[in-house]
Amino acid sequence: AWYAETHALPSKAEAARHYAKQGLVQALAPCEAMAGADGRRLAQWAAEYLVRTSAPLGAPGEKALSPEDPQALRPFAIHNPARKRLAVVSAIFGGFDRLLPVDPAWAGTADFYLVTDRRFEALHGWQPVQANYTNADPRRSARFVKLHLPTYFSAYDWVLWVDGSVLICVDPTELIARLDSEGAEFATFRHPDRQGVMAEVAACIRFKKEEPMVLVEALSRLHTHAAFRTPALYETMVMALQPKAPAVRALCAAWWRLMMRGSKRDQLSLPLAIAETPELRVGLLPDTMAYSTLFARASHIKRA
């Protein structure tokens, strides 16, 4: 009844239909208790609740974003005139994820950028950026953005990367302040289940997460690599980095080189890149992604 009155709908049945088709996409509150300050859209805690319960919240991409579309910035047109310290960046390619909302209150201290090949009707606080690299594999397109953050966002002191399926649950500047105090230049989650690249290769074989010949190639160079006996393994759906730091730039260059030569899986390349960048100050985000109070993982769009 509240939803019908708020959106001038004629009946409760029509309110239910409207919410299923438009409300979830536009991040509208289903009831008064979940509404934010404007009395219509979800409060941030409510968005978190819905994502953690696997509700399909957020806008799916509609159609391909044309190169001439005025909606999106070009990657090298990002200059940070307001001199904010933090850029929050995500990427969605190929309609794999919905665009999740961010709290409008956070725009005062951070800029939010979405690199994409899709056009979104509801942007939820994100500024779209026209992708200037695409791959037949949407995951590799997103990885290109992820590993070239220092190139695109050097006007900021920090960049926080979140995968397209990740909802930010707290003001991201709080996390950056913590990393500043710890002296980290790069931080991400530790892997919740495995330690070491060899364990990841075994998991990829078992769960068929990568082409067999790609894994053979990874093994062929791993046994002589410095990371072979290193127990470090990471989960990189979220990561924070200082884009101006020389060690971070060296890390991303090594990481991309390794990924171009082999698997698209971060777990098979990041530990090697870190081992090749001993000067890098690495930190860990609190807990693991599954138990984080800072971020929540949403489900991907199901494909027919």
Side-chain angles (χ1 to χ4, degrees):
W2 173 86
Y3 190 94
E5 180 181 354
T6 300
H7 300 285
L9 300 170
S11 66
K12 293 180 181 179
E14 183 61 27
R17 284 191 290 270
H18 185 280
Y19 180 70
K21 290 185 177 181
Q22 297 183 44
L24 280 165
V25 169
Q26 298 172 5
L28 300 176
C31 60
E32 188 173 11
M34 298 180 102
D38 67 355
R40 295 169 62 89
R41 297 189 182 276
L42 286 167
Q44 189 63 21
W45 71 265
E48 179 183 351
Y49 172 78
L50 290 177
V51 166
R52 290 190 187 275
T53 54
S54 300
L57 177 66
E62 298 164 340
K63 58 182 180 180
L65 184 67
S66 72
E68 298 79 23
D69 199 313
Q71 182 191 44
L73 292 172
R74 296 296 182 267
F76 292 104
I78 299 169
H79 301 304
N80 189 18
R83 297 186 179 278
K84 297 176 185 177
R85 294 198 67 216
L86 174 64
V88 180
V89 183
S90 190
I92 295 177
F93 289 88
F96 196 58
D97 291 305
R98 293 176 175 83
L99 182 58
L100 298 170
V102 294
D103 193 324
W106 301 339
T109 54
D111 289 327
F112 294 81
Y113 296 101
L114 173 75
V115 185
T116 185
D117 62 350
R118 314 297 294 174
R119 184 178 176 87
F120 291 87
E121 179 183 357
L123 287 169
H124 301 314
W126 296 91
Q127 168 64 60
V129 177
Q130 180 81 54
N132 67 342
Y133 170 90
T134 56
N135 190 288
D137 184 345
R139 290 183 177 88
R140 286 191 182 271
S141 297
R143 293 296 194 280
F144 179 87
V145 178
K146 187 175 185 177
L147 304 192
H148 288 80
L149 295 173
T151 301
Y152 295 139
F153 299 97
S154 60
Y156 294 85
D157 295 334
W158 279 94
V159 178
L160 177 66
W161 166 269
V162 292
D163 278 9
S165 60
V166 172
L167 177 74
I168 305 168
C169 301
V170 299
D171 185 340
T173 58
E174 295 178 10
L175 174 61
I176 297 309
R178 172 175 178 164
L179 295 175
D180 267 333
S181 68
E182 295 174 354
E185 296 174 310
F186 173 89
T188 189
F189 286 108
R190 64 178 175 84
H191 199 282
D193 302 319
R194 295 183 287 280
Q195 291 187 340
V197 184
M198 288 298 295
E200 180 64 21
V201 171
C204 288
I205 294 170
R206 178 183 178 187
F207 298 111
K208 299 180 180 179
K209 291 188 174 185
E210 186 56 274
E211 295 294 328
M213 290 308 298
V214 173
L215 295 174
V216 169
E217 191 278 333
L219 286 170
S220 70
R221 68 169 182 264
L222 182 60
H223 73 281
T224 59
H225 198 279
F228 180 66
R229 293 179 177 82
T230 302
L233 200 64
Y234 305 96
E235 190 174 32
T236 59
M237 286 182 286
V238 177
M239 64 183 197
L241 57 84
Q242 294 185 33
K244 301 173 188 176
V248 170
R249 290 177 172 272
L251 169 76
C252 289
W255 193 355
W256 179 246
R257 173 177 49 80
L258 289 161
M259 188 169 288
M260 284 295 290
R261 288 170 51 194
S263 173
K264 62 181 174 286
R265 293 188 62 77
D266 290 336
Q267 291 89 345
L268 294 179
S269 51
L270 177 57
L272 279 66
I274 288 177
E276 293 177 12
T277 319
E279 68 274 23
L280 180 72
R281 300 197 302 272
V282 180
L284 289 174
L285 301 182
D287 301 313
T288 62
M289 183 67 211
Y291 292 98
S292 176
T293 59
L294 309 178
F295 306 95
R297 187 177 184 181
S299 57
H300 295 300
I301 292 176
K302 294 181 180 179
R303 299 180 178 181

